[in-house]
Amino acid sequence: MEIEIREIQKNDSVKLKEYWPSAHHQRRFEVQQRGEGKYLFAWVKDEPVGHLLLRWKGALNEEVESHVSHIPNLEAIEVRPKWRDQGIGARLIKRAEELIKEKGIDEVGLAVGITNHEAKKLYERLGYEDWGNGTFEDTWTEIDENGNEIRNQSEINFLNK
């Protein structure tokens, strides 16, 4: 199976609406358009199967920023369920790390929910370690398929490499 990892492009919106409708894609694409990050997608043929947002200036969470404001942050790491356990998440992360190294930066961080054991195992396998500052609460808002706002909250641990 050939997987292509690349930055999202404006003309990808049709395929995203078809395979993976979400209000978040546009907002993350705007982060990329402003030069604040890279919104990477994994594609199998013309199907989007995974994504990751690389923020150059770090996490948006104030508690995290107070400790590690100087390092890029990986967020919104997701692989569609039918494509999981095929190395796609790892490939997205490795591509983001390559982009970070190209800028001469040798550190990166990401947050993981304390109950998301599978993701944490992947991140640790890729060399990420606990940041040593404990867990923190994170809140975010999502828009469901009907346009309703859903507020989420989770206890998070931050890992860096």
Side-chain angles (χ1 to χ4, degrees):
M1 168 178 63
E2 189 173 324
I3 301 167
E4 178 187 16
I5 308 286
R6 64 174 170 78
E7 295 173 34
I8 194 75
Q9 303 296 315
K10 189 166 186 69
N11 61 354
D12 291 326
S13 62
V14 172
K15 287 295 179 188
L16 292 178
K17 286 178 185 171
E18 179 183 347
Y19 287 101
W20 204 339
S22 171
H24 297 294
H25 298 315
Q26 180 60 36
R27 201 176 62 224
R28 294 173 185 148
F29 178 65
E30 290 167 3
V31 169
Q32 178 176 292
Q33 291 296 96
R34 290 190 304 267
E36 298 169 3
K38 299 284 184 186
Y39 193 26
L40 302 177
F41 263 80
W43 298 83
V44 174
K45 297 184 181 174
D46 63 349
E47 182 178 347
V49 298
H51 62 71
L52 170 154
L53 178 62
L54 161 59
R55 283 192 189 270
W56 293 119
K57 293 188 178 183
L60 296 180
N61 182 283
E62 289 180 22
E63 189 170 349
V64 172
E65 278 297 290
S66 70
H67 294 283
V68 291
S69 62
H70 63 285
I71 66 173
N73 187 63
L74 307 181
E75 60 185 68
I77 304 167
E78 186 177 359
V79 174
R80 290 181 39 226
K82 89 175 206 180
W83 295 98
R84 291 184 183 153
D85 298 320
Q86 298 182 52
I88 294 168
R91 295 218 16 217
L92 282 161
I93 292 168
K94 287 177 183 179
R95 178 63 186 132
E97 291 172 349
E98 289 169 1
L99 292 169
I100 292 165
K101 285 182 182 171
E102 287 172 10
K103 284 194 167 246
I105 302 168
D106 59 1
E107 286 185 276
V108 61
L110 56 81
V112 61
I114 62 167
T115 60
N116 193 346
H117 304 293
E118 290 302 311
K120 189 172 182 188
K121 281 192 325 191
L122 167 65
Y123 304 149
E124 288 173 342
R125 195 171 66 243
L126 295 173
Y128 288 79
E129 298 176 345
D130 187 296
W131 71 328
N133 293 298
T135 61
F136 60 94
E137 291 291 319
D138 197 18
T139 57
W140 66 95
T141 303
E142 293 184 16
I143 308 294
D144 70 12
E145 60 276 356
N146 299 317
N148 300 316
E149 226 177 69
I150 301 170
R151 188 167 172 83
N152 295 291
Q153 185 169 7
S154 181
E155 189 171 359
I156 304 288
N157 193 3
F158 193 77
L159 309 174
N160 63 338
K161 183 174 183 182

